[in-house]
Amino acid sequence: KEIKNYMITQEMIDRINELSRKEKSEGLSTDERIEQQKLRRAYIDAFKENLKAQLDNIIVVDEEGNPAARKN
């Protein structure tokens, strides 16, 4: 199943960390490795979306306090 939610829950972070610890200590099954990859991708996608949203809300002003033209 694909994870497309751009909201990362503490449960998801805990599971990422749990799988990481297990990978280092005893290794992961194929299903666990797939789950780990999906969770990591979801985490990265959420991080990117949140960063983009923050950057989109920044207003650059010139010396006189006027909003500068945006370059997209």
Side-chain angles (χ1 to χ4, degrees), residues 55-72:
L55 293 174
D56 286 345
N57 286 317
I58 293 175
I59 299 172
V60 177
V61 294
D62 63 17
E63 300 83 18
E64 298 165 4
N66 300 316
R70 291 186 68 146
K71 297 177 184 176
N72 290 328

Side-chain angles (χ1 to χ4, degrees), residues 31-47:
D31 288 342
E32 288 170 329
R33 184 164 307 283
I34 290 168
E35 178 186 8
Q36 181 187 46
Q37 290 170 347
K38 288 180 180 180
L39 287 168
R40 284 179 173 172
R41 174 51 43 202
Y43 182 87
I44 292 168
D45 290 346
F47 183 88

Side-chain angles (χ1 to χ4, degrees), residues 1-6 12 34 38-39 41-42 45:
K1 86 184 172 180
E2 194 170 328
I3 302 170
K4 285 222 174 185
N5 184 359
Y6 288 121
M12 292 170 77
I34 290 168
K38 288 180 180 180
L39 287 168
R41 174 51 43 202
D45 290 346

Side-chain angles (χ1 to χ4, degrees), residues 3-52:
I3 302 170
K4 285 222 174 185
N5 184 359
Y6 288 121
M7 180 154 213
I8 297 298
T9 65
Q10 188 60 47
E11 281 181 348
M12 292 170 77
I13 293 170
D14 292 344
R15 183 64 177 155
I16 290 169
N17 291 332
E18 178 184 344
L19 289 168
S20 180
R21 283 189 298 274
K22 184 176 180 190
E23 180 180 34
K24 290 175 186 171
S25 66
E26 61 189 82
L28 297 176
S29 70
T30 302
D31 288 342
E32 288 170 329
R33 184 164 307 283
I34 290 168
E35 178 186 8
Q36 181 187 46
Q37 290 170 347
K38 288 180 180 180
L39 287 168
R40 284 179 173 172
R41 174 51 43 202
Y43 182 87
I44 292 168
D45 290 346
F47 183 88
K48 286 179 176 179
E49 282 297 312
N50 290 332
L51 178 61
K52 184 180 180 314

